[in-house]
Every structure is written in structure tokens, then in C-alpha cells.
Amino acid sequence: MNAIAVGFLLLIAFSTHSQSHQDEITIDYGKYSQSIMDKKFDVTLNYINEKVFEKVSRAEVKKELSRFTNTEEANFQFSSPALNNFGELKTVGEEKFMKFQAIQYFRVTARNTSSIFTTEMHQKVLQVIKIKLEKEFGEENVRLDLNRNLFTVKF
């Protein structure tokens, strides 16, 4: 299962406090995002709605998050999320939910592969990766800087 898809399945359940629901969601989503950046996946899992784990185990989600961010082929950097377009507060059973848009970028820098590939072959590999990322996130959300081996992806 794609680790990023798990992030999109995130539904933040929260209780009512004196601060606004939007502020609470913004704070919680920031903590969720920071836990991914810090590779503290046990914390990350606490922000994912338990219903997700009825389909995919916590261990599997943690394994995918770790695999996604700990590859030897690339370095990952995540931007801080920007949240907007908050919807109405909805109650489903005993839980409260609010739809919102989260915009976040991650940068993927391909590690130097010059000892393995020729320059031409390396660029072809990066183009294949770009096509895969475009299929996953949309062509308009993926940029590749071949000179720096750097992908920037908006999700």
C-alpha cells in the first residue's frame, strides 16, 4: 500500500475544546506532519483514524512509512503543511470530522548514481521516476530539476 495514500486517508477525530476546530485541526495536522518528518511513526499512527487499520494493520502502515522515507536511493524533505478550505463540522456516531485541504510539498533528491549509471542512463531513470510520480500526484504537481537530481512534489 502506498505510504502517501495512507496520509490521504487521514481523518482527524477531535473533541471540542475552547479553541476553534480549525485551530485544533491545524495544530494536530502539524504534529502529524512533523512526526513523519522526524520519522516518529508510532506518533504518526496515533493521528490516523482507527478505521484505516481495519483495512491495513498499524504494523503495515508503519513499515510502509519507514520504507518510503528510508530509501538509500534518495533523500526526502517535507515542507510544513498549509491548511485551508475548512468545511462544516460533521458528527458521525460519536466522532466529529471536518473536511479541509492540506497542501504540502516533499522534495526528493536522488542520490548520486554516477558510479552505477552513465549520465544518460541516470537521466532516463529520473524521467521514469518522474512519470510514476506524475501518475500518482498529477503532472501539474511534479517538477524535476535534472541538474540537482531534485523532484518537488505537491500533494
Side-chain angles (χ1 to χ4, degrees), residues 12-37:
I12 298 177
F14 54 91
S15 59
T16 306
H17 295 288
S18 59
Q19 67 185 13
S20 79
H21 299 298
Q22 292 178 7
D23 290 344
E24 188 170 348
I25 290 171
T26 301
I27 289 167
D28 282 349
Y29 195 89
K31 289 177 182 177
Y32 160 78
S33 181
Q34 189 63 47
S35 70
I36 293 173
M37 289 184 257

Side-chain angles (χ1 to χ4, degrees), residues 93-124:
E94 295 181 15
E95 297 187 65
K96 297 179 181 185
F97 298 91
M98 185 178 285
K99 182 179 176 181
F100 61 92
Q101 179 184 31
I103 298 173
Q104 191 167 10
Y105 294 88
F106 71 87
R107 295 169 62 120
V108 183
T109 306
R111 298 223 169 120
N112 189 350
T113 58
S114 60
S115 61
I116 303 170
F117 299 127
T118 64
T119 301
E120 181 181 331
M121 192 173 197
H122 175 76
Q123 289 184 353
K124 285 180 181 179

Side-chain angles (χ1 to χ4, degrees), residues 63-77:
K63 179 181 171 187
E64 287 299 312
L65 286 167
S66 180
R67 187 180 64 79
F68 177 73
T69 59
N70 291 319
T71 178
E72 292 183 18
E73 292 83 23
N75 293 321
F76 290 84
Q77 295 176 308

